Amino acid sequence: MRGNALWVLAHPDQSSLSSHLRNVGIAALREKGWRVVESDLYRMRWDPLLVTDDGSADVRAEQRKLADADLVILQFPLWWYGVPAILKGWFDRVFESGFAYDVPDPETGRFLKYGRGGLIGKRALVVVTAGDRHASLGPRGISGHIDDVLWPILHGTLWYTGMQPLRPHLITEADDVDQQTVGSVERSLIDRLDHVAEEEPISYLPMEDEFYDHSIRLHDHISPGVEGNAAHQHCAV
Amino acid sequence: MRGNALWVLAHPDQSSLSSHLRNVGIAALREKGWRVVESDLYRMRWDPLLVTDDGSADVRAEQRKLADADLVILQFPLWWYGVPAILKGWFDRVFESGFAYDVPDPETGRFLKYGRGGLIGKRALVVVTAGDRHASLGPRGISGHIDDVLWPILHGTLWYTGMQPLRPHLITEADDVDQQTVGSVERSLIDRLDHVAEEEPISYLPMEDEFYDHSIRLHDHISPGVEGNAAHQHCAV
């Protein structure tokens, strides 16, 4: 038994490549001994709109799934270099204050974030399909490196709430996957999921005095001279 | 007469700082001679969910507003280091193929993007309120530099469709703005809008053979050795 996994999918079309890969991925996790529950946001008719007063039953239900999960898979097509609105609205509503952040740290009693938070320790894997060619989302690709494109999710949402984000599982040229090529896309996903419990997460720096000053900016001697998102990883130190 | 402006606001609360600044900003633009139309997404009960077949009347109406606009203001609170779901869903649905992208370029007949596209030449200003302290969203701040945080919008959405994004207008510590400090926040916004027609946009590189190779990756001699989003600006060349 590998623990509990929550698979969140944001795609409107049940006959899409995304929906197919969701089926393949969930089957692969179960094969490996994970207990998997699912949030298929379009099929659930998830309401993405945060209003001033919430606290709805649908939010509580998603929070229970998250609380139980050791592993969270977030699967979506890259729309305008971000998540579809329905998934953004899942973050906006489910990741509430007092649940995902602004939670007293068990050790210190302080309200910590970035590496600590209400979702501490849960692994998170983003599975993303993009129409772009692979090099376009690489380190010098026109669309930006996928790690930078997904920075608001990987660092600003998952790491912010204490989760352990893994390197994103990126499927490029997704509009051109056909009967001939789908097998290799499936195998690559299954291989990735086979080792998802052992993989090293992205080594983002935690919000600790050792790394950040009181304005929550990197000390000069941490990643010296480096600007941009890469400065906030251990490997840049 | 300065031309047509479209002001898009994504905030659920009509008594919020955001709604107040929208009123202040629109009044300031009109004072300067702009014709301003508005999309207050929550008040319009905008439906953010892209489904497989769209083409709805609400999408057409927003496209007409965009087509008429010389200047687009996108105002929102920074939620999970991105736009609220309702605004993401405005991009997802309104920025359709054949309207915002996959439009033949008037000069070449090619389907160009990044600097060209269906919204070519329109100026775009993001006005964003954040709870973070200013340094946290600076070049070495823990949340990432605001230009990197907003990369998917500034570069991946606005520049992608041919718009001219200006440097974002960032209001930090927005939860702490009170009767004593709101005046300086208002003045700073009004000052910014006074010169919005003359300001230099962000100098992103266009998708041209001079800068990018056939995999749409920067040539080695462009921004040599630089990785990350900053490599895609003229100043880095």
Side-chain angles (χ1 to χ4, degrees), chain A residues 157-184:
Chain A
T157 308
L158 304 174
W159 180 240
Y160 188 101
T161 57
M163 301 180 86
Q164 300 278 330
L166 309 179
R167 289 289 324 283
H169 188 78
L170 172 63
I171 298 151
T172 47
E173 301 187 68
D175 300 331
D176 304 320
V177 173
D178 58 20
Q179 292 297 330
Q180 271 68 51
T181 52
V182 69
S184 70

Short mmCIF file of all heavy atoms in Angstrom, two decimals, chain A residues 157-184:
data_model
loop_
_atom_site.label_atom_id
_atom_site.label_comp_id
_atom_site.label_asym_id
_atom_site.label_seq_id
_atom_site.Cartn_x
_atom_site.Cartn_y
_atom_site.Cartn_z
N THR A 157 1.72 28.36 -5.03
CA THR A 157 0.52 27.68 -4.51
C THR A 157 0.90 26.40 -3.76
O THR A 157 0.57 26.25 -2.58
CB THR A 157 -0.44 27.35 -5.68
OG1 THR A 157 -0.69 28.55 -6.44
CG2 THR A 157 -1.77 26.80 -5.16
N LEU A 158 1.63 25.50 -4.44
CA LEU A 158 1.93 24.20 -3.82
C LEU A 158 2.97 24.35 -2.71
O LEU A 158 2.75 23.93 -1.57
CB LEU A 158 2.39 23.22 -4.90
CG LEU A 158 1.39 23.02 -6.06
CD1 LEU A 158 2.00 22.14 -7.15
CD2 LEU A 158 0.08 22.42 -5.56
N TRP A 159 4.11 24.94 -3.04
CA TRP A 159 5.17 25.14 -2.03
C TRP A 159 4.71 26.11 -0.95
O TRP A 159 5.03 25.95 0.23
CB TRP A 159 6.44 25.64 -2.74
CG TRP A 159 7.63 25.89 -1.87
CD1 TRP A 159 8.28 27.08 -1.71
CD2 TRP A 159 8.36 24.93 -1.08
NE1 TRP A 159 9.35 26.94 -0.87
CE2 TRP A 159 9.43 25.63 -0.47
CE3 TRP A 159 8.21 23.57 -0.83
CZ2 TRP A 159 10.34 25.00 0.38
CZ3 TRP A 159 9.12 22.94 0.02
CH2 TRP A 159 10.16 23.65 0.61
N TYR A 160 3.94 27.12 -1.34
CA TYR A 160 3.43 28.11 -0.39
C TYR A 160 2.66 27.44 0.75
O TYR A 160 2.73 27.87 1.90
CB TYR A 160 2.50 29.09 -1.12
CG TYR A 160 2.02 30.28 -0.32
CD1 TYR A 160 2.62 31.53 -0.47
CD2 TYR A 160 0.95 30.18 0.57
CE1 TYR A 160 2.17 32.64 0.24
CE2 TYR A 160 0.50 31.28 1.30
CZ TYR A 160 1.13 32.50 1.13
OH TYR A 160 0.68 33.60 1.84
N THR A 161 1.91 26.39 0.41
CA THR A 161 1.06 25.72 1.41
C THR A 161 1.75 24.52 2.05
O THR A 161 1.11 23.74 2.75
CB THR A 161 -0.26 25.26 0.76
OG1 THR A 161 0.04 24.41 -0.36
CG2 THR A 161 -1.07 26.45 0.27
N GLY A 162 3.06 24.36 1.77
CA GLY A 162 3.83 23.31 2.41
C GLY A 162 3.94 22.02 1.63
O GLY A 162 4.58 21.07 2.09
N MET A 163 3.34 21.99 0.43
CA MET A 163 3.43 20.77 -0.37
C MET A 163 4.83 20.63 -0.97
O MET A 163 5.63 21.57 -0.99
CB MET A 163 2.37 20.77 -1.47
CG MET A 163 0.96 20.86 -0.92
SD MET A 163 -0.32 20.86 -2.22
CE MET A 163 -0.52 19.10 -2.45
N GLN A 164 5.12 19.43 -1.46
CA GLN A 164 6.41 19.11 -2.07
C GLN A 164 6.19 18.95 -3.57
O GLN A 164 5.88 17.85 -4.04
CB GLN A 164 6.93 17.79 -1.51
CG GLN A 164 7.14 17.77 -0.01
CD GLN A 164 8.46 18.38 0.39
OE1 GLN A 164 9.43 18.32 -0.37
NE2 GLN A 164 8.51 18.99 1.55
N PRO A 165 6.35 20.04 -4.35
CA PRO A 165 6.10 19.91 -5.78
C PRO A 165 7.22 19.13 -6.48
O PRO A 165 8.41 19.38 -6.23
CB PRO A 165 6.03 21.35 -6.28
CG PRO A 165 6.73 22.17 -5.25
CD PRO A 165 6.66 21.42 -3.95
N LEU A 166 6.85 18.19 -7.33
CA LEU A 166 7.82 17.49 -8.18
C LEU A 166 7.98 18.27 -9.48
O LEU A 166 7.17 19.15 -9.80
CB LEU A 166 7.31 16.07 -8.45
CG LEU A 166 6.91 15.27 -7.21
CD1 LEU A 166 6.39 13.89 -7.61
CD2 LEU A 166 8.06 15.14 -6.24
N ARG A 167 9.04 17.95 -10.22
CA ARG A 167 9.18 18.57 -11.55
C ARG A 167 7.92 18.25 -12.36
O ARG A 167 7.43 17.13 -12.34
CB ARG A 167 10.40 18.00 -12.30
CG ARG A 167 11.77 18.42 -11.77
CD ARG A 167 12.09 19.90 -12.04
NE ARG A 167 11.59 20.40 -13.33
CZ ARG A 167 12.14 20.17 -14.50
NH1 ARG A 167 13.24 19.46 -14.62
NH2 ARG A 167 11.61 20.67 -15.59
N PRO A 168 7.38 19.24 -13.07
CA PRO A 168 6.16 18.98 -13.84
C PRO A 168 6.35 17.90 -14.90
O PRO A 168 7.44 17.77 -15.46
CB PRO A 168 5.83 20.34 -14.48
CG PRO A 168 7.05 21.19 -14.31
CD PRO A 168 7.83 20.64 -13.17
N HIS A 169 5.32 17.11 -15.13
CA HIS A 169 5.32 16.12 -16.20
C HIS A 169 4.68 16.78 -17.42
O HIS A 169 3.46 16.93 -17.50
CB HIS A 169 4.55 14.87 -15.79
CG HIS A 169 4.68 13.76 -16.77
ND1 HIS A 169 5.80 12.96 -16.84
CD2 HIS A 169 3.86 13.33 -17.75
CE1 HIS A 169 5.65 12.07 -17.81
NE2 HIS A 169 4.48 12.28 -18.38
N LEU A 170 5.53 17.18 -18.35
CA LEU A 170 5.10 17.99 -19.49
C LEU A 170 4.96 17.14 -20.74
O LEU A 170 5.89 16.43 -21.12
CB LEU A 170 6.13 19.11 -19.73
CG LEU A 170 5.97 19.95 -21.00
CD1 LEU A 170 4.65 20.74 -20.98
CD2 LEU A 170 7.16 20.91 -21.15
N ILE A 171 3.79 17.21 -21.37
CA ILE A 171 3.55 16.54 -22.66
C ILE A 171 3.36 17.64 -23.70
O ILE A 171 2.37 18.37 -23.66
CB ILE A 171 2.29 15.65 -22.56
CG1 ILE A 171 2.50 14.56 -21.50
CG2 ILE A 171 1.94 15.06 -23.92
CD1 ILE A 171 1.23 14.11 -20.83
N THR A 172 4.34 17.78 -24.59
CA THR A 172 4.28 18.84 -25.61
C THR A 172 3.71 18.31 -26.92
O THR A 172 3.53 17.10 -27.08
CB THR A 172 5.68 19.44 -25.85
OG1 THR A 172 6.62 18.38 -25.99
CG2 THR A 172 6.11 20.32 -24.68
N GLU A 173 3.44 19.22 -27.82
CA GLU A 173 2.81 18.88 -29.12
C GLU A 173 1.59 17.99 -28.89
O GLU A 173 1.32 17.05 -29.66
CB GLU A 173 3.82 18.21 -30.06
CG GLU A 173 5.02 19.11 -30.34
CD GLU A 173 5.96 18.56 -31.41
OE1 GLU A 173 5.56 18.52 -32.58
OE2 GLU A 173 7.09 18.18 -31.05
N ALA A 174 0.84 18.30 -27.86
CA ALA A 174 -0.27 17.44 -27.44
C ALA A 174 -1.40 17.39 -28.46
O ALA A 174 -2.16 16.42 -28.50
CB ALA A 174 -0.80 17.91 -26.08
N ASP A 175 -1.49 18.44 -29.29
CA ASP A 175 -2.54 18.43 -30.32
C ASP A 175 -2.22 17.45 -31.45
O ASP A 175 -3.08 17.12 -32.26
CB ASP A 175 -2.72 19.84 -30.93
CG ASP A 175 -3.10 20.85 -29.86
OD1 ASP A 175 -3.74 20.46 -28.86
OD2 ASP A 175 -2.74 22.04 -30.02
N ASP A 176 -0.94 17.01 -31.50
CA ASP A 176 -0.52 16.12 -32.59
C ASP A 176 -0.36 14.66 -32.15
O ASP A 176 0.10 13.83 -32.92
CB ASP A 176 0.82 16.62 -33.18
CG ASP A 176 0.71 18.07 -33.65
OD1 ASP A 176 -0.34 18.41 -34.22
OD2 ASP A 176 1.65 18.84 -33.42
N VAL A 177 -0.73 14.36 -30.90
CA VAL A 177 -0.66 12.97 -30.44
C VAL A 177 -1.76 12.18 -31.14
O VAL A 177 -2.93 12.59 -31.13
CB VAL A 177 -0.82 12.89 -28.91
CG1 VAL A 177 -0.93 11.44 -28.45
CG2 VAL A 177 0.34 13.58 -28.20
N ASP A 178 -1.39 11.09 -31.78
CA ASP A 178 -2.38 10.29 -32.51
C ASP A 178 -2.24 8.82 -32.12
O ASP A 178 -1.48 8.47 -31.19
CB ASP A 178 -2.23 10.49 -34.03
CG ASP A 178 -0.82 10.13 -34.50
OD1 ASP A 178 -0.10 9.40 -33.78
OD2 ASP A 178 -0.44 10.59 -35.60
N GLN A 179 -2.97 7.96 -32.79
CA GLN A 179 -2.94 6.53 -32.47
C GLN A 179 -1.53 5.96 -32.50
O GLN A 179 -1.21 5.03 -31.77
CB GLN A 179 -3.84 5.75 -33.46
CG GLN A 179 -5.33 6.05 -33.30
CD GLN A 179 -5.89 5.63 -31.95
OE1 GLN A 179 -5.39 4.68 -31.35
NE2 GLN A 179 -6.88 6.35 -31.45
N GLN A 180 -0.67 6.53 -33.38
CA GLN A 180 0.70 6.02 -33.51
C GLN A 180 1.56 6.42 -32.31
O GLN A 180 2.45 5.67 -31.91
CB GLN A 180 1.37 6.57 -34.79
CG GLN A 180 1.16 5.71 -36.02
CD GLN A 180 -0.29 5.70 -36.51
OE1 GLN A 180 -0.88 6.75 -36.69
NE2 GLN A 180 -0.86 4.52 -36.69
N THR A 181 1.32 7.62 -31.77
CA THR A 181 2.25 8.15 -30.77
C THR A 181 1.70 8.08 -29.34
O THR A 181 2.44 8.29 -28.38
CB THR A 181 2.62 9.61 -31.09
OG1 THR A 181 1.41 10.36 -31.27
CG2 THR A 181 3.44 9.69 -32.37
N VAL A 182 0.41 7.78 -29.20
CA VAL A 182 -0.19 7.83 -27.86
C VAL A 182 0.46 6.82 -26.92
O VAL A 182 0.57 7.07 -25.71
CB VAL A 182 -1.73 7.67 -27.93
CG1 VAL A 182 -2.12 6.25 -28.33
CG2 VAL A 182 -2.38 8.05 -26.60
N GLY A 183 0.92 5.69 -27.48
CA GLY A 183 1.53 4.65 -26.65
C GLY A 183 2.75 5.16 -25.89
O GLY A 183 2.92 4.87 -24.71
N SER A 184 3.58 5.95 -26.56
CA SER A 184 4.79 6.42 -25.89
C SER A 184 4.45 7.48 -24.84
O SER A 184 5.11 7.57 -23.80
CB SER A 184 5.81 6.95 -26.90
OG SER A 184 5.35 8.16 -27.46
#
